[in-house]
Amino acid sequence: DTGVSQNPRHKITKRGQNVTFRCDPISEHNRLYWYRQTLGQGPEFLTYFQNEAQLEKSRLLSDRFSAERPKGSFSTLEIQRTEQGDSAMYLCASSPDNCGQPQHFGDGTRLSIL
Amino acid sequence: AQKVTQAQTEISVVEKEDVTLDCVYETRDTTYYLFWYKQPPSGELVFLIRRNSFDEQNEISGRYSWNFQKSTSSFNFTITASQVVDSAVYFCALIPCGGSNYKLTFGKGTLLTVNP
């Protein structure tokens, strides 16, 4: 069990550019989640996968955001035409199927928009 | 909809003091889980403890203990004999076991500073 891995750890980009983040979950976990955390706040849910199926998307996830989990393994989160308000920590988590199983988080990717 | 409130924004203690972090929650689900996570300056959220809604027995695990009271919708977390390494932001979170049994709802966190 190597834990949830995210990369890059930090991303600095200019407004208007596209960015993509990657998450490798714990291998035996079927569920994968993306959260966003801004300064002084708790993480907020963005989206969730059960294996390769994206089952829920928050209204926080505008049409500039897209997430995929091909083959039910790693996941990518892409933000197109980045805006200043996209600056945040993007956290990935994974868990087994059963309700109440703790979600295990990666170190996150900190996005800064210049 | 779920809601988690952590009224304490910041707490500062001296090493070896006991400290209790408060958490109050709202949910209409009858079955749910409550969690405490720790986020040190490095940024990774670390799972600490969980409690399901049917088990109000309070427990102790090492220096950690928790007090779950369904009647007051509270899930407080205590660190005994605090250490400098306990300095972090602590988040209380809830997940319902009904329709949205995938989405953790977090409080805003309590910044704990343990001074030597």
Side-chain angles (χ1 to χ4, degrees):
Chain A
D1 181 355
T2 57
V4 177
S5 175
Q6 289 187 249
N7 65 79
R9 289 295 308 277
H10 303 275
K11 180 70 177 178
I12 301 173
T13 192
K14 293 182 180 178
R15 188 178 56 184
Q17 297 295 305
N18 299 344
V19 294
T20 300
F21 311 140
R22 177 179 170 124
C23 171
D24 288 89
I26 293 172
S27 57
E28 60 267 29
H29 287 176
N30 292 336
R31 295 188 177 186
L32 185 147
Y33 316 81
W34 286 97
Y35 290 82
R36 182 170 69 187
Q37 185 179 21
T38 54
L39 198 61
Q41 302 295 317
E44 294 176 292
F45 172 81
L46 291 179
T47 190
Y48 144 68
F49 290 85
Q50 176 86 24
N51 299 311
E52 68 275 10
Q54 187 175 18
L55 298 184
E56 184 70 23
K57 293 198 297 185
S58 162
R59 63 176 185 272
L60 293 175
L61 218 62
S62 76
D63 56 6
R64 296 184 297 105
F65 288 71
S66 62
E68 294 181 344
R69 192 184 182 195
K71 302 179 183 178
S73 54
F74 71 92
S75 176
T76 58
L77 177 67
E78 180 183 17
I79 308 174
Q80 296 182 326
R81 305 180 302 282
T82 52
E83 301 174 354
Q84 291 281 353
D86 297 332
S87 294
M89 174 78 89
Y90 290 84
L91 294 163
C92 177
S94 69
S95 78
D97 276 343
N98 299 335
C99 180
Q101 290 294 324
Q103 295 181 17
H104 295 273
F105 286 80
D107 288 343
T109 294
R110 183 169 295 284
L111 174 64
S112 299
I113 307 297
L114 301 178
Chain B
Q2 337 297 326
K3 185 177 180 182
V4 176
T5 302
Q6 295 179 251
Q8 304 152 310
T9 306
E10 295 187 36
I11 298 176
S12 182
V13 299
V14 177
E15 208 169 14
K16 296 184 184 177
E17 284 185 21
D18 298 347
V19 56
T20 295
L21 308 179
D22 298 333
C23 173
V24 175
Y25 63 91
E26 296 175 29
T27 181
R28 291 184 179 180
D29 284 72
T30 55
T31 304
Y32 51 89
Y33 280 80
L34 295 160
F35 301 83
W36 278 96
Y37 281 85
K38 173 183 179 181
Q39 189 173 42
S42 58
E44 180 185 359
L45 272 166
V46 178
F47 162 70
L48 296 176
I49 59 171
R50 70 170 173 174
R51 172 60 66 204
N52 72 55
S53 54
F54 291 113
D55 187 355
E56 290 195 63
Q57 181 178 352
N58 297 317
E59 288 192 19
I60 298 173
S61 175
R63 295 187 299 110
Y64 298 157
S65 62
W66 45 102
N67 184 351
F68 172 42
Q69 293 193 347
K70 211 167 179 178
S71 59
T72 56
S73 298
S74 66
F75 184 52
N76 298 337
F77 175 63
T78 298
I79 303 174
T80 302
S82 60
Q83 301 174 2
V84 173
V85 293
D86 295 327
S87 297
V89 180
Y90 289 81
F91 290 97
C92 180
L94 176 148
I95 196 165
C97 289
S100 302
N101 67 345
Y102 47 82
K103 180 168 66 173
L104 272 170
T105 298
F106 287 86
K108 292 188 175 183
T110 298
L111 173 62
L112 173 64
T113 302
V114 182
N115 298 298

